[in-house]
Amino acid sequence: MLPKTAHSHRRDFAAALWIQLLAMLLIGSPAVSADAATTRSPLVQLQTESATLSIGSNGSLLAFSRRSDGMDYLAKNQPAPLLSLRSSGTLHAPEGATWDATAHRLTLRFGKSGLSAQIRVISKPSHLSFELIEISPAGSADLAVWGPYPTSIRKTVGEVVGVVRDDTFALGLQALNIKTLGGYPDNDEGSADRPYGARPTDFGSVLQAYSMDRSKPRSIAVWSKRAPNMPVPAVPGETVLGSKIALFGCPEPQALETLGKIEVAEGLPHPLIEGVWAKMSPERGRSYLIANFSESTIDEMLGYVKQANLMSLYHENAFKSWGHFEPNPKFFPGGIAGLKACADKAKASGVRLGAHTLSNFIQTQDPYITPEPDARLAKTGESTLTEAVDATTQTIPVASPEYFTNRLGNELQTVVIGKELVRYGSVSTNAPWKLLDCQRGAYGTTASEHPRGAAAGKLMDHAYKVFFPNLELQREIARNLARVFNASGLSHMDFDGHEGCLAPGEGTYGNEVFAKEFYDRLDHTVINGTSPPLSHFYWHINSYCNWGEPWYGGFRDSMQEYRINNQVFCERNFIPKMLGWYLLRTATCLSDMEWMLARSAGFDSGFALATSLEALRKNAESGPILDALREWEKARRAGVFTPEQREALRNPKREFHLETVTGGGWDLFPFHDSADFQHEQLVRQPGEPTSAAWDLKNPDARQSLQLKLRVSGKAGSIRNPTFEINRSATLTIPVEIQAGQSLLIESDAIVRLYDAKGNPVQSFPLKTALPVVQPGTNPVTFDCEFQGDTPPKVTVTFKTRGSPTRVGK
């Protein structure tokens, strides 16, 4: 999440540009004050198979309509410039236009500014392409903005993919190269929390894209102000010329197919999985297993993956370091050859092999850092030494403290001087400025003498204890990654930490560069996901977004609302849906796993199951869990659940069990929860019972007792909870449960104790059989021993398994 001040900065920046645009269009433009009939008369009409785009003599869109019946989706009374240019700090909208049908060129004139622009326009069956090919005077524009194009469509706004849809029709914008960013220029960096190629508005939505001139050095705030006033070097030749977009309109059911056609026609990334476009492949959104493996354990791990019929086996720590990505000798003593042997085995068994990284993050043990730091590491800024220093001094005199006192994004407090890295403890509070308590020769570099005037550059770093590259080195790191994937045959990866590609100061452009550099150098398909934000051009490369982590609560609690919200995000952006990571521990039970699998089936979403070889070996339910994974995934991918069943399966308060049926199909069993029954310590006269009396209503068949018991309060505990069922069967559980903990008993008669976050504490089998509950009302008495000065309260919920529904047959 960005700090509020960063959000405000971006809003103010974007608002200023938008006000300039409105002023030019609504106040100073001769076209707006001309006769209405002339203003609405199209200069040119461009058509695709399904849509018509009309452009007026003022250089603005007049209509964006459905070709079959002329239905216009351009929002009324809203500015709709085809292209605006910023020069000398002012954004200029077009005021006039001419059309050369022979050359397919549109010339825009920008009034008193003296600017003009030529745009090459090509009509294709699926879309229209617009390319900025010339600006006069040359080099006079530092920003080109396509749109925003206002539409009346609001029902479904795919903000990242740049497509808006209602029930019948879709409109879309696609950036056709990485210099063209989907969204609106929120700041001089060119970055956003989520690049909005489309955005909902009060009147409907807008489609938008832009390009920045990066060919001149700049000093700007970088990465949500982690690096204020950071010097960003020029990217030679990277001007706004060549910025290119596609616009299209098509029947709503054809929107995704049309995006695929645009990719092919324009030479965009168009990854295939076994010959089928990844966005439409039956392999899209498949679940996978995350666990470390080695040359000696690969066969056993592949056996688990095959039993569950998951897509891939994904290594968490495959590399010796990030940056060069050499195989980790702990797991792969044979190096690349050893890793390739594992990948070959996986491929032969129909399983992908993957490896985790954090994109452009550079670990401190990588050769880019030690024994000599690479000159292309990203620097937030630098100063000069005001005096010469020897190799032992622990005080470094600098001309300015500006870049060294910043606390945001300054975890390692490291400067580079020549070929030495120096960590400093603090900065003097007054001139003469000094870096104090310095550790010389940090990270295995060599402490050296440095002359007066030598540059001391503050390195960009992160809480993960890593450094970052500049744009040139970032490209090289992407190539390193592709080289290792090609040599080893790895075919699954996440661009986790993709936001780190903001470090060079080029905003979202840096994200696009890294992903495309990697993609362009692959010799085989690599399934890939990403961390937020997902960028517009990278959408073409991306295979899925699997957001949601298991580290912040119990199996059923960690980031659940966030996971569910992401399903809607994926749907509106044509991204295969995924529920995130879940954790299989030694104590994870089948019912927890089926709880997650029901959500997966309900949302038709894949997931990642993170585990370890030890957990798989020691968990007594590993076999049934892997079997359940296989069957639930098979049923989900076969689409056997009805819309009504899927709606029920999405409810996190509901539980289900799936069983295979001889001859094909499955039985889907629902569970029914009772009301919550509560009990607290009572003060009674001697001999009077202190137990609670409840009526358990079982709507299902005769079956064993199943329950969840929760202890709430600030302190205290209970011991030996005791249940008497139907005045005939007694169950005492020999356990102490602390305030905040919970206890689960299911039909397998295993007692499972969880902490306040839902993490397993202990488990053990009962020594006595579970009582039976009959159909209808079952009298229950409950008591326990309360402990502590402020005894906690007890809440008990019973559950019963209902009759099955046959699916898939």
Side-chain angles (χ1 to χ4, degrees):
M1 294 292 291
L2 291 171
K4 183 176 180 181
T5 53
H7 284 295
S8 301
H9 170 76
R10 288 175 172 171
R11 285 196 301 269
D12 293 345
F13 184 96
L17 290 180
W18 184 244
I19 290 170
Q20 288 181 24
L21 181 59
L22 283 171
M24 290 302 302
L25 285 167
L26 302 180
I27 299 174
S29 171
V32 172
S33 62
D35 179 81
T38 303
T39 304
R40 298 300 300 176
S41 177
L43 172 69
V44 58
Q45 283 190 327
L46 306 165
Q47 291 187 329
T48 67
E49 288 180 346
S50 303
T52 300
L53 185 73
S54 299
I55 301 174
S57 58
N58 62 350
S60 292
L61 274 57
L62 299 182
F64 201 171
S65 55
R66 184 165 57 197
R67 187 171 176 180
S68 61
D69 60 5
M71 173 68 181
D72 186 12
Y73 290 95
L74 193 71
K76 309 306 179 189
N77 303 314
Q78 296 294 327
L82 176 65
L83 177 78
S84 299
L85 297 177
R86 186 177 68 186
S87 180
S88 301
T90 300
L91 187 68
H92 302 276
E95 298 181 17
T98 56
W99 170 245
D100 184 338
T102 302
H104 301 285
R105 291 191 180 186
L106 183 70
T107 300
L108 301 180
R109 299 183 301 277
F110 295 84
K112 295 180 181 179
S113 71
L115 292 169
S116 67
Q118 288 196 26
I119 299 171
R120 181 184 291 118
V121 183
I122 304 295
S123 298
K124 298 183 179 180
S126 56
H127 66 285
L128 306 168
S129 70
F130 300 84
E131 182 179 8
L132 179 59
I133 58 174
E134 184 178 324
I135 295 175
S136 180
S140 57
D142 60 13
L143 176 70
V145 180
W146 298 98
Y149 307 124
T151 91
S152 58
I153 296 176
R154 186 179 174 84
K155 181 177 181 182
T156 302
V157 178
E159 65 270 46
V160 171
V161 71
V163 178
V164 298
R165 299 173 274 158
D166 61 16
D167 291 330
T168 60
F169 208 66
L171 299 176
L173 175 152
Q174 291 291 285
L176 297 182
N177 49 39
I178 59 175
K179 72 161 54 189
T180 310
L181 304 178
Y184 196 76
D186 290 333
N187 47 53
D188 284 322
E189 181 187 17
S191 67
D193 300 329
R194 184 165 287 167
Y196 292 102
R199 181 174 58 84
T201 65
D202 292 340
F203 54 78
S205 58
V206 293
L207 303 170
Q208 52 194 10
Y210 67 98
S211 289
M212 285 183 164
D213 186 341
R214 303 175 188 277
S215 65
K216 303 178 182 68
R218 301 172 292 161
S219 291
I220 56 175
V222 168
W223 197 351
S224 303
K225 295 187 177 181
R226 290 168 62 91
N229 197 35
M230 174 174 160
V232 178
V235 182
E238 192 59 77
T239 69
V240 298
L241 290 181
S243 183
K244 188 177 183 182
I245 65 165
L247 291 175
F248 71 92
C250 67
E252 192 277 337
Q254 298 175 18
L256 182 57
E257 179 185 357
T258 300
L259 288 169
K261 291 178 179 179
I262 294 172
E263 287 183 353
V264 173
E266 298 292 341
L268 299 177
H270 188 72
L272 304 178
I273 302 176
E274 298 176 1
V276 180
W277 183 35
K279 291 294 193 296
M280 290 185 168
S281 167
E283 294 291 292
R284 69 189 185 280
R286 282 193 65 187
S287 303
Y288 54 97
L289 189 73
I290 300 175
N292 289 341
F293 55 89
S294 68
E295 294 176 42
S296 61
T297 62
I298 183 64
D299 293 316
E300 183 178 357
M301 290 302 304
L302 286 175
Y304 294 126
V305 177
K306 290 295 291 181
Q307 182 177 349
N309 193 28
L310 298 175
M311 177 187 73
S312 72
L313 174 60
Y314 188 86
H315 205 295
E316 290 186 275
N317 192 26
F319 302 118
K320 184 177 180 181
S321 64
W322 301 329
H324 282 76
F325 307 109
E326 296 302 322
N328 189 337
K330 175 182 176 181
F331 300 105
F332 309 107
I336 284 287
L339 182 54
K340 185 178 187 303
C342 293
D344 288 345
K345 286 184 175 181
K347 185 176 181 179
S349 63
V351 174
R352 292 183 177 274
L353 212 60
H356 190 65
T357 73
L358 283 180
S359 295
N360 70 335
F361 288 40
I362 306 174
Q363 292 174 313
T364 56
Q365 72 270 29
D366 190 83
Y368 284 128
I369 305 301
T370 185
E372 291 186 1
D374 194 287
R376 298 167 295 174
L377 294 173
K379 304 176 185 67
T380 63
E382 63 181 33
S383 185
T384 56
L385 302 189
T386 56
E387 299 176 17
V389 297
D390 62 25
T392 61
T393 182
Q394 295 181 338
T395 300
I396 306 292
V398 291
S400 168
E402 178 183 1
Y403 296 106
F404 310 112
T405 54
N406 177 38
R407 293 305 310 156
L408 187 63
N410 189 6
E411 304 294 334
L412 300 180
Q413 295 194 170
T414 302
V415 298
V416 57
I417 310 174
K419 295 181 179 180
E420 180 188 359
L421 295 183
V422 178
R423 296 189 69 183
Y424 60 95
S426 60
V427 182
S428 60
T429 56
N430 299 293
W433 304 109
K434 297 179 181 179
L435 307 182
L436 306 175
D437 302 319
C438 293
Q439 174 193 338
R440 303 297 302 275
Y443 301 114
T445 61
T446 300
S448 308
E449 297 179 354
H450 301 290
R452 182 177 183 273
K458 170 66 184 66
L459 293 184
M460 174 82 81
D461 63 31
H462 189 273
Y464 284 15
K465 311 301 182 185
V466 294
F467 296 111
F468 292 95
N470 69 8
L471 192 65
E472 178 189 349
L473 182 56
Q474 185 158 289
R475 291 180 187 270
E476 182 173 298
I477 289 174
R479 295 194 293 269
N480 290 344
L481 196 57
R483 171 182 53 79
V484 171
F485 271 65
N486 289 340
S488 65
L490 291 170
S491 59
H492 183 190
M493 186 201 77
D494 279 349
F495 287 95
D496 200 1
H498 205 175
E499 68 275 13
C501 294
L502 299 173
E506 299 295 349
T508 304
Y509 175 78
N511 295 79
E512 312 291 29
V513 165
F514 187 84
K516 191 169 188 296
E517 195 82 31
F518 174 74
Y519 176 85
D520 285 347
R521 282 161 176 77
L522 293 172
D523 61 13
H524 61 287
T525 297
V526 173
I527 303 295
N528 64 92
T530 186
S531 58
L534 177 68
S535 53
H536 175 75
F537 188 91
Y538 167 65
W539 179 92
H540 300 287
I541 297 170
N542 174 258
S543 307
Y544 62 85
C545 294
N546 195 28
W547 300 336
E549 298 179 1
W551 327 116
Y552 309 111
F555 196 95
R556 307 188 185 202
D557 303 314
S558 185
M559 301 181 73
Q560 271 312 115
E561 183 177 356
Y562 174 77
R563 297 172 193 266
I564 290 172
N565 289 340
N566 282 334
Q567 307 315 299
V568 182
F569 163 77
C570 289
E571 280 186 344
R572 65 178 179 257
N573 284 288
F574 299 114
I575 299 167
K577 292 178 291 181
M578 304 288 281
L579 280 174
W581 293 25
Y582 288 88
L583 191 59
L584 172 61
R585 307 171 188 258
T586 56
T588 301
C589 60
L590 177 60
S591 65
D592 273 347
M593 193 61 64
E594 287 206 285
W595 176 88
M596 182 273 289
L597 290 167
R599 308 294 85 77
S600 172
F603 288 105
D604 190 17
S605 303
F607 55 86
L609 188 64
T611 188
S612 66
L613 185 58
E614 179 185 25
L616 288 166
R617 285 173 174 173
K618 291 185 177 181
N619 190 310
E621 294 190 89
S622 282
I625 285 173
L626 295 174
D627 290 342
L629 289 170
R630 180 186 65 248
E631 297 306 317
W632 275 97
E633 281 289 273
K634 184 178 179 181
R636 174 181 75 86
R637 296 180 64 216
V640 303
F641 301 108
T642 67
E644 293 76 18
Q645 288 168 338
R646 287 185 57 196
E647 184 65 29
L649 290 166
R650 290 174 187 161
N651 187 345
K653 295 181 180 179
R654 298 288 306 277
E655 293 186 60
F656 296 86
H657 171 66
L658 194 70
E659 285 187 6
T660 55
V661 176
T662 302
W666 297 268
D667 277 341
L668 180 66
F669 292 86
F671 286 90
H672 301 113
D673 286 346
S674 71
D676 288 343
F677 297 105
Q678 295 185 330
H679 180 56
E680 54 187 302
Q681 187 176 43
L682 302 173
V683 178
R684 299 282 174 83
Q685 64 183 352
E688 184 178 358
T690 58
S691 59
W694 305 323
D695 282 337
L696 166 59
K697 295 180 180 179
N698 174 17
D700 302 309
R702 182 178 185 272
Q703 57 191 275
S704 297
L705 179 72
Q706 299 185 75
L707 62 91
K708 183 173 184 178
L709 184 153
R710 301 178 294 280
V711 178
S712 60
K714 296 182 178 179
S717 65
I718 69 165
R719 292 178 184 168
N720 301 322
T722 300
F723 298 85
E724 183 182 85
I725 312 296
N726 290 318
R727 303 182 181 89
S728 60
T730 300
L731 171 65
T732 298
I733 307 169
V735 68
E736 182 171 2
I737 310 171
Q738 303 293 329
Q741 293 183 332
S742 61
L743 178 145
L744 179 68
I745 297 179
E746 297 182 309
S747 57
D748 57 7
I750 294 177
V751 177
R752 295 179 173 90
L753 186 64
Y754 299 90
D755 67 16
K757 291 186 176 181
N759 299 308
V761 175
Q762 69 173 119
S763 64
F764 57 89
L766 286 169
K767 295 182 179 179
T768 57
L770 288 171
V772 171
V773 293
Q774 304 293 339
T777 301
N778 295 258
V780 177
T781 59
F782 171 81
D783 210 348
C784 61
E785 301 168 16
F786 287 95
Q787 307 293 318
D789 294 334
T790 306
K793 296 180 181 180
V794 179
T795 301
V796 177
T797 306
F798 300 96
K799 74 174 182 178
T800 56
R801 192 171 85 168
S803 299
T805 300
R806 185 67 50 88
V807 296
K809 184 68 174 179

